[in-house]
Amino acid sequence: MKNLYINTGNTTTIFEELNSALGGTMTSTAEENKILLKSDLVKGRIKSTIFNEGACYIQFNLSFTEDVNISIESTKNTPLFFAYSGYGEIAHSFGYQNDQFKLKAGKSAVINTGGSLNTILSFKKNSRIEFSILGLATTPSNSHQTNEMRNKLRDLFVTENSNSIYKGKSNRRIIENIKKLNEISCKSTASYLAKKKLVHEILEFEIEQYTDGWVHAAEKINQFVQEKVTEVKAFIGSVFSFPTEHSAL
């Protein structure tokens, strides 16, 4: 078992620390960073795009030659992470002693790392894995629109001084946007802006499915209860209004 450590404090440094921990070769442009991995430990590539609003999108395509744990340090500046598995399986836990949650292909999770325990990502040897992470800083930015979205996400997912994970379901619109993101190579301002738009939409979809979904579920439960109450009232009414037959003596 190989244990690696990422002592990141924000979305802008996590990629550099991944490169250092995995021993890759990094190339960077104004719009995109890439890590090529051809070591005895891991083969594959990692791509990332960092946005001005404190968001980053990282795409992983990896295969390890031995079991590996990557520990990401939790600080007050650690981003809120949205994880999406495209192929294979990732195991996640807060600290080494707690239960693992397995993120399978086609599934997602929202990870709040505001507590004292590190985030542990575990990978099995000789198993190819494709997954994406969207990280969003929870501190205010200079953009009113970004702050409005960030505040909604904080209200939904962030608990101060606490770690938590929300296990998401498959969302067709998010899966489609992830696919589009992975197909775009940031070689121009236009492609960078296209990625930025897709990331913004994904965050909107996450807000929608964790708010409207709950409201919709509550409405369904309330509707079901009301229907049952109506049925019971109708049944009681029919019992008391049913004509009683008297036998002649």
Side-chain angles (χ1 to χ4, degrees), residues 155-215:
D155 290 342
L156 282 172
F157 303 116
V158 176
T159 303
E160 298 295 339
N161 303 316
S162 177
N163 296 107
S164 56
I165 184 167
Y166 299 82
K167 304 168 187 178
K169 297 180 180 179
S170 295
N171 184 306
R172 177 182 54 80
R173 294 179 299 175
I174 291 178
I175 291 173
E176 289 175 355
N177 272 25
I178 293 292
K179 183 178 179 181
K180 291 176 184 177
L181 274 169
N182 294 342
E183 291 173 348
I184 296 175
S185 180
C186 271
K187 295 181 179 180
S188 65
T189 301
S191 57
Y192 172 85
L193 292 175
K195 272 196 166 185
K196 182 177 178 180
K197 180 176 182 293
L198 290 167
V199 165
H200 191 273
E201 287 178 354
I202 289 173
L203 294 174
E204 287 183 333
F205 295 153
E206 290 287 9
I207 291 172
E208 180 182 307
Q209 74 172 353
Y210 278 95
T211 52
D212 291 354
W214 291 340
V215 172

Short mmCIF file of all heavy atoms in Angstrom, two decimals, residues 155-215:
data_model
loop_
_atom_site.label_atom_id
_atom_site.label_comp_id
_atom_site.label_asym_id
_atom_site.label_seq_id
_atom_site.Cartn_x
_atom_site.Cartn_y
_atom_site.Cartn_z
N ASP A 155 -24.98 26.87 1.77
CA ASP A 155 -26.18 26.57 2.56
C ASP A 155 -26.59 25.11 2.43
O ASP A 155 -27.08 24.50 3.38
CB ASP A 155 -27.34 27.47 2.13
CG ASP A 155 -27.13 28.93 2.51
OD1 ASP A 155 -26.28 29.19 3.39
OD2 ASP A 155 -27.79 29.80 1.92
N LEU A 156 -26.39 24.55 1.24
CA LEU A 156 -26.79 23.16 0.99
C LEU A 156 -25.82 22.14 1.57
O LEU A 156 -26.24 21.13 2.13
CB LEU A 156 -26.92 22.92 -0.52
CG LEU A 156 -28.18 23.45 -1.20
CD1 LEU A 156 -28.05 23.28 -2.71
CD2 LEU A 156 -29.41 22.70 -0.71
N PHE A 157 -24.52 22.41 1.43
CA PHE A 157 -23.54 21.34 1.67
C PHE A 157 -22.52 21.61 2.77
O PHE A 157 -21.94 20.66 3.30
CB PHE A 157 -22.76 21.06 0.38
CG PHE A 157 -23.62 20.68 -0.79
CD1 PHE A 157 -23.70 21.48 -1.91
CD2 PHE A 157 -24.38 19.52 -0.76
CE1 PHE A 157 -24.49 21.12 -3.00
CE2 PHE A 157 -25.18 19.16 -1.83
CZ PHE A 157 -25.23 19.96 -2.95
N VAL A 158 -22.26 22.86 3.10
CA VAL A 158 -21.14 23.16 3.99
C VAL A 158 -21.61 23.31 5.43
O VAL A 158 -22.49 24.11 5.72
CB VAL A 158 -20.41 24.44 3.54
CG1 VAL A 158 -19.29 24.79 4.54
CG2 VAL A 158 -19.83 24.27 2.14
N THR A 159 -21.01 22.51 6.29
CA THR A 159 -21.20 22.64 7.73
C THR A 159 -19.86 23.00 8.34
O THR A 159 -18.88 22.26 8.17
CB THR A 159 -21.71 21.32 8.35
OG1 THR A 159 -22.92 20.94 7.70
CG2 THR A 159 -21.96 21.48 9.84
N GLU A 160 -19.79 24.14 9.00
CA GLU A 160 -18.52 24.61 9.53
C GLU A 160 -17.92 23.60 10.50
O GLU A 160 -18.61 23.01 11.31
CB GLU A 160 -18.71 25.96 10.24
CG GLU A 160 -19.20 27.08 9.33
CD GLU A 160 -18.20 27.45 8.26
OE1 GLU A 160 -17.00 27.15 8.45
OE2 GLU A 160 -18.60 28.05 7.25
N ASN A 161 -16.60 23.41 10.37
CA ASN A 161 -15.84 22.53 11.26
C ASN A 161 -16.38 21.10 11.26
O ASN A 161 -16.37 20.42 12.29
CB ASN A 161 -15.84 23.08 12.70
CG ASN A 161 -15.27 24.48 12.77
OD1 ASN A 161 -14.24 24.77 12.14
ND2 ASN A 161 -15.93 25.35 13.50
N SER A 162 -16.86 20.67 10.11
CA SER A 162 -17.42 19.33 10.02
C SER A 162 -17.17 18.74 8.63
O SER A 162 -17.15 19.46 7.64
CB SER A 162 -18.93 19.36 10.29
OG SER A 162 -19.51 18.09 10.14
N ASN A 163 -16.96 17.42 8.58
CA ASN A 163 -16.84 16.70 7.32
C ASN A 163 -18.17 16.03 7.00
O ASN A 163 -18.85 15.53 7.88
CB ASN A 163 -15.76 15.60 7.41
CG ASN A 163 -14.38 16.17 7.64
OD1 ASN A 163 -13.83 16.07 8.72
ND2 ASN A 163 -13.82 16.79 6.62
N SER A 164 -18.53 16.04 5.73
CA SER A 164 -19.77 15.38 5.33
C SER A 164 -19.69 14.99 3.86
O SER A 164 -18.94 15.60 3.08
CB SER A 164 -20.98 16.28 5.58
OG SER A 164 -20.83 17.51 4.91
N ILE A 165 -20.46 13.98 3.48
CA ILE A 165 -20.52 13.55 2.09
C ILE A 165 -21.97 13.31 1.71
O ILE A 165 -22.74 12.74 2.48
CB ILE A 165 -19.67 12.29 1.85
CG1 ILE A 165 -19.67 11.92 0.37
CG2 ILE A 165 -20.12 11.12 2.71
CD1 ILE A 165 -18.62 10.90 0.00
N TYR A 166 -22.34 13.79 0.55
CA TYR A 166 -23.68 13.61 0.01
C TYR A 166 -23.57 12.70 -1.20
O TYR A 166 -22.87 13.03 -2.16
CB TYR A 166 -24.29 14.95 -0.39
CG TYR A 166 -24.44 15.91 0.76
CD1 TYR A 166 -23.35 16.69 1.18
CD2 TYR A 166 -25.64 16.06 1.43
CE1 TYR A 166 -23.48 17.58 2.24
CE2 TYR A 166 -25.78 16.94 2.50
CZ TYR A 166 -24.69 17.70 2.89
OH TYR A 166 -24.81 18.57 3.94
N LYS A 167 -24.23 11.56 -1.13
CA LYS A 167 -24.13 10.57 -2.19
C LYS A 167 -25.19 10.84 -3.24
O LYS A 167 -26.38 10.66 -3.01
CB LYS A 167 -24.30 9.17 -1.60
CG LYS A 167 -23.29 8.87 -0.48
CD LYS A 167 -23.64 7.61 0.29
CE LYS A 167 -22.72 7.44 1.49
NZ LYS A 167 -23.06 6.25 2.29
N GLY A 168 -24.75 11.32 -4.38
CA GLY A 168 -25.68 11.71 -5.43
C GLY A 168 -26.11 10.55 -6.31
O GLY A 168 -25.51 9.48 -6.31
N LYS A 169 -27.17 10.80 -7.06
CA LYS A 169 -27.68 9.82 -8.01
C LYS A 169 -27.22 10.22 -9.41
O LYS A 169 -26.67 11.29 -9.62
CB LYS A 169 -29.20 9.76 -7.94
CG LYS A 169 -29.74 9.30 -6.60
CD LYS A 169 -31.25 9.27 -6.61
CE LYS A 169 -31.80 8.80 -5.27
NZ LYS A 169 -33.29 8.79 -5.25
N SER A 170 -27.48 9.36 -10.37
CA SER A 170 -27.16 9.68 -11.76
C SER A 170 -28.04 10.85 -12.21
O SER A 170 -29.24 10.87 -11.96
CB SER A 170 -27.40 8.46 -12.66
OG SER A 170 -26.52 7.42 -12.32
N ASN A 171 -27.43 11.80 -12.86
CA ASN A 171 -28.14 12.96 -13.38
C ASN A 171 -27.75 13.10 -14.85
O ASN A 171 -26.59 13.39 -15.16
CB ASN A 171 -27.77 14.21 -12.58
CG ASN A 171 -28.55 15.44 -13.01
OD1 ASN A 171 -28.57 15.80 -14.19
ND2 ASN A 171 -29.17 16.09 -12.05
N ARG A 172 -28.70 12.90 -15.72
CA ARG A 172 -28.41 12.86 -17.16
C ARG A 172 -27.77 14.16 -17.64
O ARG A 172 -26.81 14.14 -18.42
CB ARG A 172 -29.71 12.60 -17.94
CG ARG A 172 -29.55 12.60 -19.45
CD ARG A 172 -30.88 12.39 -20.14
NE ARG A 172 -31.88 13.35 -19.69
CZ ARG A 172 -31.96 14.61 -20.15
NH1 ARG A 172 -31.09 15.05 -21.04
NH2 ARG A 172 -32.90 15.42 -19.71
N ARG A 173 -28.26 15.29 -17.17
CA ARG A 173 -27.73 16.57 -17.63
C ARG A 173 -26.29 16.79 -17.17
O ARG A 173 -25.45 17.30 -17.93
CB ARG A 173 -28.63 17.71 -17.15
CG ARG A 173 -30.02 17.70 -17.78
CD ARG A 173 -30.87 18.83 -17.26
NE ARG A 173 -31.07 18.73 -15.82
CZ ARG A 173 -31.70 19.66 -15.09
NH1 ARG A 173 -32.18 20.74 -15.67
NH2 ARG A 173 -31.85 19.49 -13.78
N ILE A 174 -26.00 16.37 -15.94
CA ILE A 174 -24.62 16.50 -15.44
C ILE A 174 -23.70 15.56 -16.21
O ILE A 174 -22.58 15.94 -16.59
CB ILE A 174 -24.57 16.21 -13.93
CG1 ILE A 174 -25.27 17.34 -13.17
CG2 ILE A 174 -23.12 16.07 -13.46
CD1 ILE A 174 -25.32 17.14 -11.66
N ILE A 175 -24.13 14.33 -16.44
CA ILE A 175 -23.32 13.37 -17.20
C ILE A 175 -23.01 13.90 -18.59
O ILE A 175 -21.87 13.80 -19.08
CB ILE A 175 -24.04 12.01 -17.30
CG1 ILE A 175 -24.09 11.35 -15.91
CG2 ILE A 175 -23.35 11.09 -18.28
CD1 ILE A 175 -24.93 10.09 -15.85
N GLU A 176 -24.00 14.52 -19.24
CA GLU A 176 -23.79 15.09 -20.57
C GLU A 176 -22.77 16.23 -20.53
O GLU A 176 -21.90 16.33 -21.41
CB GLU A 176 -25.11 15.59 -21.14
CG GLU A 176 -26.07 14.47 -21.54
CD GLU A 176 -27.42 14.99 -21.99
OE1 GLU A 176 -27.64 16.23 -21.91
OE2 GLU A 176 -28.25 14.17 -22.44
N ASN A 177 -22.86 17.09 -19.52
CA ASN A 177 -21.91 18.19 -19.40
C ASN A 177 -20.50 17.72 -19.08
O ASN A 177 -19.52 18.27 -19.58
CB ASN A 177 -22.38 19.18 -18.33
CG ASN A 177 -23.32 20.24 -18.89
OD1 ASN A 177 -23.99 20.01 -19.90
ND2 ASN A 177 -23.39 21.39 -18.25
N ILE A 178 -20.39 16.67 -18.25
CA ILE A 178 -19.08 16.10 -17.95
C ILE A 178 -18.44 15.55 -19.23
O ILE A 178 -17.25 15.76 -19.49
CB ILE A 178 -19.20 14.97 -16.89
CG1 ILE A 178 -19.62 15.54 -15.53
CG2 ILE A 178 -17.88 14.20 -16.76
CD1 ILE A 178 -18.59 16.40 -14.86
N LYS A 179 -19.24 14.87 -20.02
CA LYS A 179 -18.74 14.33 -21.28
C LYS A 179 -18.24 15.45 -22.19
O LYS A 179 -17.17 15.35 -22.81
CB LYS A 179 -19.84 13.52 -21.98
CG LYS A 179 -19.38 12.86 -23.27
CD LYS A 179 -20.51 12.03 -23.90
CE LYS A 179 -20.04 11.39 -25.20
NZ LYS A 179 -21.14 10.60 -25.84
N LYS A 180 -19.01 16.53 -22.29
CA LYS A 180 -18.61 17.67 -23.12
C LYS A 180 -17.33 18.31 -22.59
O LYS A 180 -16.43 18.67 -23.36
CB LYS A 180 -19.74 18.71 -23.17
CG LYS A 180 -20.97 18.26 -23.93
CD LYS A 180 -22.07 19.31 -23.84
CE LYS A 180 -23.35 18.85 -24.52
NZ LYS A 180 -24.45 19.86 -24.36
N LEU A 181 -17.24 18.46 -21.26
CA LEU A 181 -16.05 19.04 -20.65
C LEU A 181 -14.79 18.23 -21.00
O LEU A 181 -13.74 18.80 -21.32
CB LEU A 181 -16.21 19.09 -19.14
CG LEU A 181 -16.91 20.31 -18.54
CD1 LEU A 181 -17.21 20.07 -17.07
CD2 LEU A 181 -16.06 21.56 -18.70
N ASN A 182 -14.92 16.91 -20.92
CA ASN A 182 -13.77 16.04 -21.17
C ASN A 182 -13.36 16.02 -22.63
O ASN A 182 -12.22 15.64 -22.96
CB ASN A 182 -14.08 14.62 -20.69
CG ASN A 182 -14.23 14.54 -19.18
OD1 ASN A 182 -13.80 15.44 -18.45
ND2 ASN A 182 -14.84 13.48 -18.70
N GLU A 183 -14.27 16.42 -23.50
CA GLU A 183 -13.96 16.43 -24.94
C GLU A 183 -13.32 17.74 -25.38
O GLU A 183 -12.73 17.81 -26.47
CB GLU A 183 -15.23 16.17 -25.75
CG GLU A 183 -15.77 14.75 -25.62
CD GLU A 183 -17.12 14.59 -26.29
OE1 GLU A 183 -17.73 15.62 -26.66
OE2 GLU A 183 -17.58 13.43 -26.44
N ILE A 184 -13.43 18.78 -24.56
CA ILE A 184 -12.89 20.09 -24.93
C ILE A 184 -11.42 20.18 -24.54
O ILE A 184 -11.05 19.92 -23.39
CB ILE A 184 -13.67 21.22 -24.26
CG1 ILE A 184 -15.12 21.25 -24.74
CG2 ILE A 184 -13.01 22.58 -24.54
CD1 ILE A 184 -15.98 22.28 -24.03
N SER A 185 -10.60 20.55 -25.48
CA SER A 185 -9.19 20.82 -25.20
C SER A 185 -9.02 22.34 -25.19
O SER A 185 -9.29 23.01 -26.19
CB SER A 185 -8.29 20.19 -26.26
OG SER A 185 -6.94 20.47 -25.98
N CYS A 186 -8.61 22.88 -24.07
CA CYS A 186 -8.52 24.34 -23.92
C CYS A 186 -7.31 24.88 -24.68
O CYS A 186 -6.21 24.97 -24.14
CB CYS A 186 -8.44 24.71 -22.45
SG CYS A 186 -10.04 24.95 -21.67
N LYS A 187 -7.53 25.23 -25.92
CA LYS A 187 -6.45 25.79 -26.74
C LYS A 187 -6.72 27.25 -27.10
O LYS A 187 -5.93 27.86 -27.81
CB LYS A 187 -6.29 24.97 -28.02
CG LYS A 187 -5.83 23.54 -27.75
CD LYS A 187 -5.66 22.77 -29.05
CE LYS A 187 -5.17 21.35 -28.78
NZ LYS A 187 -5.00 20.57 -30.04
N SER A 188 -7.83 27.78 -26.63
CA SER A 188 -8.18 29.15 -26.96
C SER A 188 -9.08 29.72 -25.89
O SER A 188 -9.60 29.00 -25.02
CB SER A 188 -8.90 29.20 -28.31
OG SER A 188 -10.15 28.52 -28.23
N THR A 189 -9.29 31.02 -25.95
CA THR A 189 -10.20 31.67 -25.01
C THR A 189 -11.62 31.16 -25.17
O THR A 189 -12.36 30.98 -24.19
CB THR A 189 -10.18 33.20 -25.22
OG1 THR A 189 -8.84 33.67 -25.03
CG2 THR A 189 -11.10 33.90 -24.23
N ALA A 190 -12.01 30.87 -26.42
CA ALA A 190 -13.36 30.38 -26.70
C ALA A 190 -13.61 29.03 -26.02
O ALA A 190 -14.67 28.81 -25.42
CB ALA A 190 -13.58 30.25 -28.21
N SER A 191 -12.64 28.12 -26.09
CA SER A 191 -12.80 26.81 -25.47
C SER A 191 -12.79 26.93 -23.94
O SER A 191 -13.50 26.21 -23.24
CB SER A 191 -11.71 25.84 -25.95
OG SER A 191 -10.42 26.36 -25.67
N TYR A 192 -11.98 27.86 -23.44
CA TYR A 192 -11.96 28.12 -21.99
C TYR A 192 -13.33 28.61 -21.51
O TYR A 192 -13.85 28.13 -20.50
CB TYR A 192 -10.88 29.14 -21.68
CG TYR A 192 -10.88 29.65 -20.25
CD1 TYR A 192 -10.22 28.94 -19.24
CD2 TYR A 192 -11.52 30.84 -19.92
CE1 TYR A 192 -10.22 29.40 -17.93
CE2 TYR A 192 -11.51 31.31 -18.61
CZ TYR A 192 -10.86 30.59 -17.63
OH TYR A 192 -10.87 31.05 -16.34
N LEU A 193 -13.91 29.54 -22.25
CA LEU A 193 -15.22 30.07 -21.89
C LEU A 193 -16.31 29.00 -22.02
O LEU A 193 -17.28 28.99 -21.25
CB LEU A 193 -15.56 31.28 -22.77
CG LEU A 193 -14.69 32.52 -22.53
CD1 LEU A 193 -15.03 33.61 -23.55
CD2 LEU A 193 -14.87 33.04 -21.11
N ALA A 194 -16.16 28.11 -23.00
CA ALA A 194 -17.13 27.01 -23.15
C ALA A 194 -17.07 26.09 -21.93
O ALA A 194 -18.12 25.65 -21.42
CB ALA A 194 -16.82 26.22 -24.42
N LYS A 195 -15.87 25.80 -21.45
CA LYS A 195 -15.72 24.98 -20.24
C LYS A 195 -16.31 25.68 -19.03
O LYS A 195 -17.01 25.06 -18.20
CB LYS A 195 -14.24 24.68 -19.99
CG LYS A 195 -13.71 23.44 -20.67
CD LYS A 195 -12.40 23.01 -20.07
CE LYS A 195 -12.05 21.59 -20.50
NZ LYS A 195 -10.83 21.09 -19.84
N LYS A 196 -16.06 26.97 -18.94
CA LYS A 196 -16.57 27.75 -17.81
C LYS A 196 -18.09 27.71 -17.77
O LYS A 196 -18.69 27.56 -16.70
CB LYS A 196 -16.07 29.20 -17.94
CG LYS A 196 -16.49 30.10 -16.80
CD LYS A 196 -15.90 31.49 -16.98
CE LYS A 196 -16.34 32.43 -15.87
NZ LYS A 196 -15.75 33.79 -16.05
N LYS A 197 -18.72 27.82 -18.92
CA LYS A 197 -20.18 27.77 -19.01
C LYS A 197 -20.71 26.40 -18.57
O LYS A 197 -21.69 26.31 -17.84
CB LYS A 197 -20.63 28.07 -20.44
CG LYS A 197 -22.13 28.04 -20.66
CD LYS A 197 -22.48 28.45 -22.10
CE LYS A 197 -23.99 28.48 -22.32
NZ LYS A 197 -24.59 27.14 -22.22
N LEU A 198 -20.05 25.32 -19.00
CA LEU A 198 -20.48 23.97 -18.64
C LEU A 198 -20.35 23.73 -17.13
O LEU A 198 -21.22 23.12 -16.51
CB LEU A 198 -19.66 22.94 -19.41
CG LEU A 198 -19.94 22.84 -20.92
CD1 LEU A 198 -18.86 22.01 -21.61
CD2 LEU A 198 -21.32 22.23 -21.17
N VAL A 199 -19.25 24.22 -16.54
CA VAL A 199 -19.05 24.08 -15.10
C VAL A 199 -20.14 24.84 -14.33
O VAL A 199 -20.70 24.33 -13.35
CB VAL A 199 -17.65 24.60 -14.70
CG1 VAL A 199 -17.55 24.82 -13.18
CG2 VAL A 199 -16.57 23.61 -15.14
N HIS A 200 -20.45 26.04 -14.80
CA HIS A 200 -21.50 26.83 -14.17
C HIS A 200 -22.84 26.10 -14.22
O HIS A 200 -23.59 26.07 -13.24
CB HIS A 200 -21.60 28.19 -14.87
CG HIS A 200 -22.47 29.18 -14.15
ND1 HIS A 200 -23.84 29.25 -14.33
CD2 HIS A 200 -22.17 30.13 -13.22
CE1 HIS A 200 -24.34 30.19 -13.57
NE2 HIS A 200 -23.35 30.76 -12.89
N GLU A 201 -23.13 25.48 -15.35
CA GLU A 201 -24.38 24.73 -15.50
C GLU A 201 -24.42 23.53 -14.57
O GLU A 201 -25.45 23.22 -13.96
CB GLU A 201 -24.54 24.27 -16.95
CG GLU A 201 -24.89 25.40 -17.91
CD GLU A 201 -25.00 24.91 -19.34
OE1 GLU A 201 -24.71 23.72 -19.61
OE2 GLU A 201 -25.38 25.72 -20.22
N ILE A 202 -23.28 22.83 -14.42
CA ILE A 202 -23.23 21.66 -13.53
C ILE A 202 -23.56 22.08 -12.09
O ILE A 202 -24.33 21.41 -11.40
CB ILE A 202 -21.84 20.99 -13.59
CG1 ILE A 202 -21.65 20.27 -14.92
CG2 ILE A 202 -21.65 20.01 -12.42
CD1 ILE A 202 -20.26 19.73 -15.15
N LEU A 203 -22.98 23.19 -11.64
CA LEU A 203 -23.25 23.66 -10.29
C LEU A 203 -24.72 24.04 -10.13
O LEU A 203 -25.33 23.80 -9.08
CB LEU A 203 -22.35 24.85 -9.96
CG LEU A 203 -20.85 24.53 -9.87
CD1 LEU A 203 -20.04 25.80 -9.67
CD2 LEU A 203 -20.57 23.54 -8.74
N GLU A 204 -25.30 24.63 -11.18
CA GLU A 204 -26.74 24.94 -11.14
C GLU A 204 -27.57 23.66 -11.05
O GLU A 204 -28.57 23.62 -10.31
CB GLU A 204 -27.13 25.74 -12.38
CG GLU A 204 -26.65 27.18 -12.37
CD GLU A 204 -27.14 27.94 -13.59
OE1 GLU A 204 -27.37 27.30 -14.64
OE2 GLU A 204 -27.28 29.18 -13.50
N PHE A 205 -27.17 22.63 -11.81
CA PHE A 205 -27.89 21.35 -11.77
C PHE A 205 -27.79 20.72 -10.39
O PHE A 205 -28.77 20.13 -9.89
CB PHE A 205 -27.34 20.39 -12.82
CG PHE A 205 -27.55 20.82 -14.25
CD1 PHE A 205 -26.69 20.41 -15.26
CD2 PHE A 205 -28.61 21.65 -14.59
CE1 PHE A 205 -26.88 20.80 -16.56
CE2 PHE A 205 -28.81 22.05 -15.90
CZ PHE A 205 -27.94 21.63 -16.89
N GLU A 206 -26.62 20.85 -9.75
CA GLU A 206 -26.44 20.30 -8.41
C GLU A 206 -27.36 21.01 -7.41
O GLU A 206 -28.01 20.36 -6.57
CB GLU A 206 -24.98 20.42 -7.96
CG GLU A 206 -24.00 19.53 -8.70
CD GLU A 206 -24.12 18.06 -8.29
OE1 GLU A 206 -25.07 17.70 -7.56
OE2 GLU A 206 -23.25 17.28 -8.70
N ILE A 207 -27.43 22.32 -7.50
CA ILE A 207 -28.32 23.08 -6.62
C ILE A 207 -29.76 22.66 -6.85
O ILE A 207 -30.53 22.44 -5.90
CB ILE A 207 -28.15 24.60 -6.87
CG1 ILE A 207 -26.77 25.07 -6.39
CG2 ILE A 207 -29.25 25.39 -6.16
CD1 ILE A 207 -26.44 26.50 -6.77
N GLU A 208 -30.13 22.52 -8.11
CA GLU A 208 -31.50 22.16 -8.47
C GLU A 208 -31.89 20.80 -7.93
O GLU A 208 -32.97 20.63 -7.34
CB GLU A 208 -31.65 22.19 -9.98
CG GLU A 208 -33.04 21.85 -10.48
CD GLU A 208 -33.12 21.85 -12.00
OE1 GLU A 208 -32.74 22.86 -12.60
OE2 GLU A 208 -33.57 20.83 -12.57
N GLN A 209 -31.00 19.81 -8.12
CA GLN A 209 -31.39 18.45 -7.72
C GLN A 209 -31.37 18.26 -6.21
O GLN A 209 -32.04 17.37 -5.69
CB GLN A 209 -30.51 17.41 -8.41
CG GLN A 209 -29.09 17.26 -7.89
CD GLN A 209 -28.37 16.07 -8.51
OE1 GLN A 209 -28.97 15.27 -9.24
NE2 GLN A 209 -27.09 15.93 -8.24
N TYR A 210 -30.62 19.10 -5.48
CA TYR A 210 -30.60 18.97 -4.03
C TYR A 210 -31.60 19.90 -3.34
O TYR A 210 -31.79 19.82 -2.14
CB TYR A 210 -29.19 19.23 -3.48
CG TYR A 210 -28.30 18.02 -3.57
CD1 TYR A 210 -27.44 17.84 -4.66
CD2 TYR A 210 -28.33 17.04 -2.59
CE1 TYR A 210 -26.63 16.73 -4.75
CE2 TYR A 210 -27.52 15.92 -2.67
CZ TYR A 210 -26.67 15.78 -3.75
OH TYR A 210 -25.86 14.67 -3.85
N THR A 211 -32.23 20.80 -4.09
CA THR A 211 -33.27 21.65 -3.51
C THR A 211 -34.63 21.25 -4.05
O THR A 211 -35.49 20.81 -3.31
CB THR A 211 -33.01 23.14 -3.80
OG1 THR A 211 -32.80 23.32 -5.21
CG2 THR A 211 -31.81 23.63 -3.04
N ASP A 212 -34.81 21.37 -5.36
CA ASP A 212 -36.09 21.00 -5.96
C ASP A 212 -36.43 19.55 -5.70
O ASP A 212 -37.59 19.19 -5.55
CB ASP A 212 -36.07 21.25 -7.47
CG ASP A 212 -36.04 22.74 -7.80
OD1 ASP A 212 -36.15 23.52 -6.85
OD2 ASP A 212 -35.90 23.10 -8.96
N GLY A 213 -35.39 18.71 -5.66
CA GLY A 213 -35.62 17.30 -5.40
C GLY A 213 -36.25 17.07 -4.04
O GLY A 213 -37.21 16.32 -3.89
N TRP A 214 -35.72 17.77 -3.04
CA TRP A 214 -36.26 17.64 -1.70
C TRP A 214 -37.67 18.23 -1.62
O TRP A 214 -38.56 17.66 -0.99
CB TRP A 214 -35.34 18.34 -0.70
CG TRP A 214 -34.04 17.66 -0.53
CD1 TRP A 214 -33.74 16.36 -0.83
CD2 TRP A 214 -32.83 18.22 -0.01
NE1 TRP A 214 -32.42 16.09 -0.53
CE2 TRP A 214 -31.84 17.21 -0.03
CE3 TRP A 214 -32.48 19.49 0.45
CZ2 TRP A 214 -30.55 17.42 0.40
CZ3 TRP A 214 -31.18 19.70 0.88
CH2 TRP A 214 -30.23 18.68 0.85
N VAL A 215 -37.85 19.41 -2.24
CA VAL A 215 -39.17 20.03 -2.23
C VAL A 215 -40.18 19.12 -2.94
O VAL A 215 -41.30 18.92 -2.46
CB VAL A 215 -39.13 21.41 -2.92
CG1 VAL A 215 -40.53 21.97 -3.10
CG2 VAL A 215 -38.27 22.38 -2.12
#
